[in-house]
Amino acid sequence: MPGGPEAEPTASRAPEATGRVEAADPVGADPAMAAEPGAAAGPVAAGSAPTEPVVTAVAHTAARYAIPRRHFTDFLDSMRSDLTVTDYATYADLLGYMHGSAAVIGLQMLPVLGTTVPREEAEAPAAALGVAFQLTNFLRDVGEDLDRGRVYLPQDLLHAHGVDRALLSWSRTTGRTDARITAALRAAEHLVRGVYREAAPGLAMLDPVSRPCIRAAFVLYRGILDAVAADGYPVLHRRCAVPRHRRAVVALDGLVRCTAARYRPGTPAWPAPRTTPARRPAGPEEAR
């Protein structure tokens, strides 16, 4: 449909999508705003008219692509919880937090990226991909998060291997390793891989132009798990990363695929409204 959301090149929508997340997350952008997380994006969540330029663009994007308001309120709720919550007893508890901090990011991006199927069919894998990305960050950043007083890996997973905050702090402080910690981190890696498997079918559902970009992110973020495992799970002592040459190869492949898709007749996108709730990613037992 000329002039509709699907008619605009996906790449041109990216700045609006990026601005939406940055505007809604001033805690990360400006610690001075920690007392009022989401203050800048509050008008979008509330449905009132914003005045700040970036938030005005956010509101325009949300209206144009029919992004449900609840995704913004859920995101802000999770950002507020970061001010007081420092750990999670169970994976189910962590999923509740990640619904707002990660899953809704995938759901917000979906109508902007475009799909080749009705939107509701792609929502579950889109939500799972957001969760997979954040779980990857949690595993990679265990040591850094511990320095900030936070342990995002769920206590039920850690306790199953005899690990608690005290043991993690001992390892972080001394630089020494412990077989129990390694076993817990390996279990966390396997859990995250299960969420990536849930997300993978969604790649084929995306608009052909946006698909290579998300595929590149999928490959590179999953590659962080490979790096963590290959290095022996040293995440309490240093950050693991995908080698630069690998990143360059994946990025170039994505660029070629994206360029080719732009000059190939594609399947019309479906700007369909959400009609069914997205299923949450599997728990620890289901993911194994």
Side-chain angles (χ1 to χ4, degrees):
M1 179 186 299
E6 67 278 11
E8 184 180 358
T10 304
S12 68
R13 312 171 198 159
E16 295 178 2
T18 304
R20 177 169 69 248
V21 175
E22 291 176 348
D25 188 14
V27 175
D30 182 2
M33 297 182 66
E36 292 294 338
V44 179
S48 57
T51 57
E52 199 277 332
V54 173
V55 183
T56 300
V58 171
H60 170 77
T61 302
R64 180 171 186 178
Y65 297 102
I67 301 173
R69 191 181 305 164
R70 63 181 175 275
H71 295 337
F72 293 94
T73 57
D74 289 349
F75 177 77
L76 297 178
D77 285 345
S78 287
M79 294 304 96
R80 290 188 184 94
S81 74
D82 268 334
L83 299 176
T84 56
V85 180
T86 59
D87 52 40
Y88 295 87
T90 68
Y91 182 62
D93 293 333
L94 182 62
L95 278 178
Y97 165 77
M98 289 191 297
H99 169 73
S101 66
V104 297
I105 304 302
L107 297 175
Q108 288 174 334
M109 290 292 294
L110 196 58
V112 179
L113 296 172
T115 61
T116 58
V117 298
R119 188 190 304 176
E120 63 270 16
E121 292 184 22
E123 285 188 329
L129 187 57
V131 170
F133 284 171
Q134 186 162 65
L135 282 171
T136 302
N137 286 341
F138 290 162
L139 179 59
R140 181 196 63 190
D141 300 338
V142 171
E144 296 174 25
D145 287 334
L146 191 61
D147 290 343
R148 299 183 180 97
R150 296 175 179 173
V151 177
Y152 284 107
L153 297 183
Q155 293 179 41
D156 58 355
L157 184 150
L158 295 174
H159 291 172
H161 298 277
V163 177
D164 57 15
R165 182 186 284 261
L167 185 60
L168 293 176
S169 296
W170 167 84
S171 179
R172 178 69 169 172
T173 302
T174 64
R176 298 172 63 182
T177 60
D178 186 285
R180 293 169 293 177
I181 295 176
T182 300
L185 295 175
R186 183 180 296 110
E189 176 220 342
H190 292 165
L191 170 63
V192 183
R193 289 191 187 278
V195 183
Y196 275 105
R197 286 193 292 271
E198 289 189 32
L203 296 176
M205 301 178 187
L206 293 175
D207 182 282
V209 176
S210 63
R211 189 182 304 151
C213 301
I214 304 304
R215 177 185 177 276
F218 182 100
V219 171
L220 290 176
Y221 250 80
R222 191 174 58 180
I224 294 174
L225 298 181
D226 298 332
V228 168
D231 290 351
Y233 306 93
V235 292
L236 275 162
H237 311 127
R238 63 182 176 86
R239 174 177 286 205
C240 299
V242 177
R244 289 184 179 180
H245 70 273
R246 173 60 174 163
R247 282 181 271 173
V249 168
V250 173
L252 179 60
D253 177 71
L255 178 61
V256 171
R257 290 171 181 265
C258 184
T259 301
R262 285 184 177 278
Y263 294 97
R264 183 188 309 130
T267 304
W270 288 65
R274 177 175 177 171
T275 57
T276 56
R279 183 172 60 88
R280 282 187 170 183
E285 297 303 320
E286 298 172 280
R288 291 176 182 164

